[in-house]
PDB file of all heavy atoms in Angstrom:
ATOM      1  N   ALA A 473     -56.706  52.564 -21.993  1.00 85.00           N
ATOM      2  CA  ALA A 473     -57.307  51.399 -22.579  1.00 85.00           C
ATOM      3  C   ALA A 473     -56.362  50.616 -23.389  1.00 85.00           C
ATOM      4  O   ALA A 473     -56.498  49.437 -23.456  1.00 85.00           O
ATOM      5  CB  ALA A 473     -58.523  51.833 -23.481  1.00 85.00           C
ATOM      6  N   SER A 474     -55.335  51.242 -23.916  1.00 83.00           N
ATOM      7  CA  SER A 474     -54.327  50.525 -24.738  1.00 83.00           C
ATOM      8  C   SER A 474     -53.511  49.427 -23.898  1.00 83.00           C
ATOM      9  O   SER A 474     -53.334  48.412 -24.244  1.00 83.00           O
ATOM     10  CB  SER A 474     -53.389  51.446 -25.406  1.00 83.00           C
ATOM     11  OG  SER A 474     -52.274  50.802 -25.933  1.00 83.00           O
ATOM     12  N   SER A 475     -53.209  49.903 -22.678  1.00 87.00           N
ATOM     13  CA  SER A 475     -52.385  49.043 -21.845  1.00 87.00           C
ATOM     14  C   SER A 475     -53.256  48.003 -21.060  1.00 87.00           C
ATOM     15  O   SER A 475     -52.853  46.953 -20.722  1.00 87.00           O
ATOM     16  CB  SER A 475     -51.584  49.845 -20.814  1.00 87.00           C
ATOM     17  OG  SER A 475     -52.416  50.651 -20.068  1.00 87.00           O
ATOM     18  N   THR A 476     -54.553  48.371 -20.817  1.00 87.00           N
ATOM     19  CA  THR A 476     -55.411  47.421 -20.064  1.00 87.00           C
ATOM     20  C   THR A 476     -56.304  46.547 -20.984  1.00 87.00           C
ATOM     21  O   THR A 476     -56.863  45.582 -20.494  1.00 87.00           O
ATOM     22  CB  THR A 476     -56.338  48.244 -19.062  1.00 87.00           C
ATOM     23  OG1 THR A 476     -57.211  49.066 -19.877  1.00 87.00           O
ATOM     24  CG2 THR A 476     -55.546  49.120 -18.159  1.00 87.00           C
ATOM     25  N   ALA A 477     -56.413  46.900 -22.281  1.00 83.00           N
ATOM     26  CA  ALA A 477     -57.291  46.187 -23.128  1.00 83.00           C
ATOM     27  C   ALA A 477     -57.044  44.601 -23.184  1.00 83.00           C
ATOM     28  O   ALA A 477     -57.899  43.846 -23.440  1.00 83.00           O
ATOM     29  CB  ALA A 477     -57.335  46.776 -24.518  1.00 83.00           C
ATOM     30  N   ILE A 478     -55.755  44.255 -23.058  1.00 87.00           N
ATOM     31  CA  ILE A 478     -55.327  42.888 -23.147  1.00 87.00           C
ATOM     32  C   ILE A 478     -56.040  42.095 -22.018  1.00 87.00           C
ATOM     33  O   ILE A 478     -56.155  40.840 -22.081  1.00 87.00           O
ATOM     34  CB  ILE A 478     -53.846  42.688 -23.072  1.00 87.00           C
ATOM     35  CG1 ILE A 478     -53.336  41.321 -23.437  1.00 87.00           C
ATOM     36  CG2 ILE A 478     -53.317  43.054 -21.623  1.00 87.00           C
ATOM     37  CD1 ILE A 478     -53.543  41.024 -24.870  1.00 87.00           C
ATOM     38  N   TYR A 479     -56.507  42.797 -21.017  1.00 87.00           N
ATOM     39  CA  TYR A 479     -57.290  42.110 -19.907  1.00 87.00           C
ATOM     40  C   TYR A 479     -58.798  42.232 -20.123  1.00 87.00           C
ATOM     41  O   TYR A 479     -59.511  41.827 -19.225  1.00 87.00           O
ATOM     42  CB  TYR A 479     -56.900  42.645 -18.531  1.00 87.00           C
ATOM     43  CG  TYR A 479     -55.449  42.339 -18.166  1.00 87.00           C
ATOM     44  CD1 TYR A 479     -54.448  43.224 -18.094  1.00 87.00           C
ATOM     45  CD2 TYR A 479     -55.189  40.967 -17.746  1.00 87.00           C
ATOM     46  CE1 TYR A 479     -53.151  42.942 -17.774  1.00 87.00           C
ATOM     47  CE2 TYR A 479     -53.901  40.619 -17.436  1.00 87.00           C
ATOM     48  CZ  TYR A 479     -52.889  41.600 -17.426  1.00 87.00           C
ATOM     49  OH  TYR A 479     -51.644  41.250 -17.075  1.00 87.00           O
ATOM     50  N   GLY A 480     -59.221  42.951 -21.170  1.00 80.00           N
ATOM     51  CA  GLY A 480     -60.656  43.071 -21.467  1.00 80.00           C
ATOM     52  C   GLY A 480     -61.517  43.589 -20.368  1.00 80.00           C
ATOM     53  O   GLY A 480     -61.105  44.633 -19.784  1.00 80.00           O
ATOM     54  N   THR A 840     -54.608  45.783 -30.184  1.00 93.00           N
ATOM     55  CA  THR A 840     -55.140  44.716 -29.326  1.00 93.00           C
ATOM     56  C   THR A 840     -56.571  44.440 -29.528  1.00 93.00           C
ATOM     57  O   THR A 840     -57.322  45.358 -29.794  1.00 93.00           O
ATOM     58  CB  THR A 840     -54.832  45.039 -27.823  1.00 93.00           C
ATOM     59  OG1 THR A 840     -53.486  45.371 -27.625  1.00 93.00           O
ATOM     60  CG2 THR A 840     -55.208  43.928 -26.887  1.00 93.00           C
ATOM     61  N   ARG A 842     -59.657  41.730 -27.643  1.00 93.00           N
ATOM     62  CA  ARG A 842     -59.954  40.737 -26.746  1.00 93.00           C
ATOM     63  C   ARG A 842     -61.477  40.409 -26.766  1.00 93.00           C
ATOM     64  O   ARG A 842     -62.233  41.386 -26.842  1.00 93.00           O
ATOM     65  CB  ARG A 842     -59.522  41.116 -25.321  1.00 93.00           C
ATOM     66  CG  ARG A 842     -59.992  40.061 -24.293  1.00 93.00           C
ATOM     67  CD  ARG A 842     -59.184  40.133 -23.036  1.00 93.00           C
ATOM     68  NE  ARG A 842     -59.751  39.398 -21.920  1.00 93.00           N
ATOM     69  CZ  ARG A 842     -59.095  38.818 -20.915  1.00 93.00           C
ATOM     70  NH1 ARG A 842     -57.754  38.994 -20.853  1.00 93.00           N
ATOM     71  NH2 ARG A 842     -59.646  38.212 -19.874  1.00 93.00           N
ATOM     72  N   SER A 860     -58.458  47.850 -29.025  1.00 93.00           N
ATOM     73  CA  SER A 860     -57.696  49.107 -28.757  1.00 93.00           C
ATOM     74  C   SER A 860     -56.596  49.235 -29.722  1.00 93.00           C
ATOM     75  O   SER A 860     -56.079  48.281 -30.314  1.00 93.00           O
ATOM     76  CB  SER A 860     -57.166  49.094 -27.323  1.00 93.00           C
ATOM     77  OG  SER A 860     -56.058  48.242 -27.174  1.00 93.00           O
TER      78      SER A 860
END
Side-chain angles (χ1 to χ4, degrees):
S474 171
S475 58
T476 64
I478 194 71
Y479 292 107
T840 307
R842 173 159 169 153
S860 74

